[in-house]
Amino acid sequence: MRLDRSAVERVDRENMLKLLMEFPDQCREAYKLGLSAELPPRFREARCVVITGMGGSAIGGDLIRCALRGTATVPIIVNRHYRLPSFVDERTLVVGSSYSGNTEETLEAFDEALRRGAMCVAITSGGKLAEMADRAEVPLIKIPQGYPPRAALGYTSIPVLAALVRLGFAPNFDLAGQLEEALKVLEGMGGELNPDVEENPAKEIALKLHGRLPIIYASQDLEAVAIRWKGQMSENSKSLAYVGILPEMNHNEIEGWRHPEGLLSSLHIVMIRDPGDHERVQMRMEITKGIVKEHADGVTEVYPRGKGELAKLLSLIYLGDFVSLYLAALNGEDPTPVERIGVLKKKLAEGGEWPKSLE
Ligand code: F6R
């Protein structure tokens, strides 16, 4: 199948491609929101940051924790649950992140953070989360409405990243410089990965993954990328995908590459490489590739662009987003609707409003 513009347009009825092409502009707008967010100076005293959210909103938190991994002066934790860890107290900065503002896990966790007297910030396009923040008189970063949450990654990540940097939690992270580099890289990639370009790495990867189970391997430093690839393949391409993280998978999962025998040849490995990674992790990637490639359908290696953490992370994420769009076209699936997520939320709602304390 030729993955040209008409092949994409045939499935992409709600225009995910447009949102993808506009992603660099979205990041630029998001940065402005982050710079103008009003944050109480006492938030600088937080000893830990917890970003609580789900799905397409939580991945913004992963992007932040990976980007600041080498510079953050406090732990940054992403919480994907109704409950908060027991250590969250008045010295913890809790960011409630829900694009819709109506995700029950996030609402319950944010409510709990308010009760514990944590320093709270909400980021949302509206919904109950915005109401909660207003009622509790805590800072609210209001982002534009009208996006599928996962397509609003710029809005759910960059304002919070900017807020954390402004509060002094990563004094050596040059956000303005990093973002400038990242945007230049992303704009270049938009020119190379769009459907009009025939010789296109994103199309090539999608063709390799079509009819296969993608196994995405990344180093811990790029975990956000692997989680995003998996999420986008599930939500956009309607395809299962699997994630493994190095070096951890070398200590267990590597042994699993024997069974089920009939399945192994349907697995296609995507190795997210980084020439700047720990040298032993790079060596482990090579050895792992040698061990697994004889069992799998194949191995595709992808590399980041740019020098800064943000350019690296966003370039790999952007590539994966394009791959997921082409894979959607190959699967004959419209990338935008997420019916099953909707069914789940509806069935849960039939059980009554949640969290109960907010009724
Ligand atoms: C839908 C999507 C989902 C949502 C998740 C949480 O595009 O990406 O993963 O992000 O169901 O909803 P929000 O982000 O509104 O809190």
Side-chain angles (χ1 to χ4, degrees), residues 198-209:
E198 207 161 323
E199 272 188 37
N200 182 322
K203 291 182 185 178
E204 281 165 26
I205 298 171
L207 285 163
K208 286 187 197 167
L209 297 181

Side-chain angles (χ1 to χ4, degrees), residues 12-40:
D12 189 17
R13 287 178 280 275
E14 293 174 52
N15 218 345
M16 183 65 84
L17 173 62
K18 180 170 177 280
L19 298 179
L20 208 46
M21 295 306 295
E22 289 171 354
F23 184 63
D25 292 332
Q26 181 190 132
C27 292
R28 210 169 271 117
E29 288 306 309
Y31 183 50
K32 288 186 204 154
L33 288 178
L35 292 183
S36 60
E38 283 177 35
L39 305 160

Side-chain angles (χ1 to χ4, degrees), residues 96-331:
S97 176
S98 167
Y99 180 77
S100 62
N102 290 322
T103 297
E104 61 179 47
E105 296 94 320
T106 313
L107 294 177
E108 182 163 330
F110 196 68
D111 186 47
E112 180 62 26
L114 290 168
R115 281 170 205 271
R116 290 196 207 167
M119 305 173 195
C120 292
V121 183
I123 177 159
T124 180
S125 69
K128 289 186 186 148
L129 186 59
E131 287 169 22
M132 280 169 80
D134 280 343
R135 209 178 311 128
E137 297 181 0
V138 299
L140 166 66
I141 303 177
K142 194 94 191 300
I143 53 179
Q145 294 187 327
Y147 290 75
R150 62 193 181 283
L153 177 64
Y155 282 126
T156 48
S157 61
I158 290 174
V160 178
L161 181 59
L164 297 184
V165 172
R166 283 177 55 212
L167 287 168
F169 295 122
N172 297 322
F173 189 84
D174 168 22
L175 179 56
Q178 289 240 5
L179 191 63
E180 195 184 313
E181 183 201 21
L183 293 180
K184 217 175 275 168
V185 164
L186 294 182
E187 275 157 359
M189 289 177 74
E192 293 167 31
L193 303 180
N194 74 73
D196 299 328
V197 181
E198 207 161 323
E199 272 188 37
N200 182 322
K203 291 182 185 178
E204 281 165 26
I205 298 171
L207 285 163
K208 286 187 197 167
L209 297 181
H210 185 217
R212 302 279 177 265
L213 178 68
I215 308 283
I216 303 151
Y217 283 145
S219 143
Q220 172 107 47
D221 286 353
L222 295 175
E223 194 179 9
V225 175
I227 300 173
R228 173 70 171 188
W229 274 59
K230 173 179 183 254
Q232 291 293 73
M233 277 167 193
S234 303
E235 292 189 62
N236 289 351
S237 327
K238 315 313 188 249
S239 166
L240 282 177
Y242 177 94
V243 166
I245 300 298
L246 273 82
E248 176 62 19
M249 67 77 70
N250 281 179
H251 298 272
N252 35 62
E253 186 175 321
I254 192 80
E255 285 299 335
W257 273 93
R258 297 177 207 269
H259 300 282
E261 274 174 47
L263 193 70
L264 298 183
S265 59
S266 308
L267 311 183
H268 191 99
I269 298 158
V270 178
M271 283 196 144
I272 315 273
R273 305 294 305 260
D274 179 4
D277 205 343
H278 191 291
E279 62 185 276
R280 301 295 281 181
V281 175
Q282 292 190 59
M283 204 167 156
R284 284 174 179 277
M285 284 263 181
E286 282 302 318
I287 301 169
T288 302
K289 184 172 66 179
I291 294 172
V292 296
K293 80 169 179 220
E294 60 180 282
H295 303 289
D297 163 67
V299 181
T300 298
E301 292 174 277
V302 297
Y303 290 84
R305 302 206 192 176
K307 290 199 173 63
E309 285 80 6
L310 208 52
K312 285 185 182 182
L313 288 158
L314 286 175
S315 62
L316 287 163
I317 283 176
Y318 207 35
L319 173 64
D321 285 4
F322 274 100
V323 171
S324 73
L325 182 74
Y326 293 123
L327 191 54
L330 291 166
N331 286 340

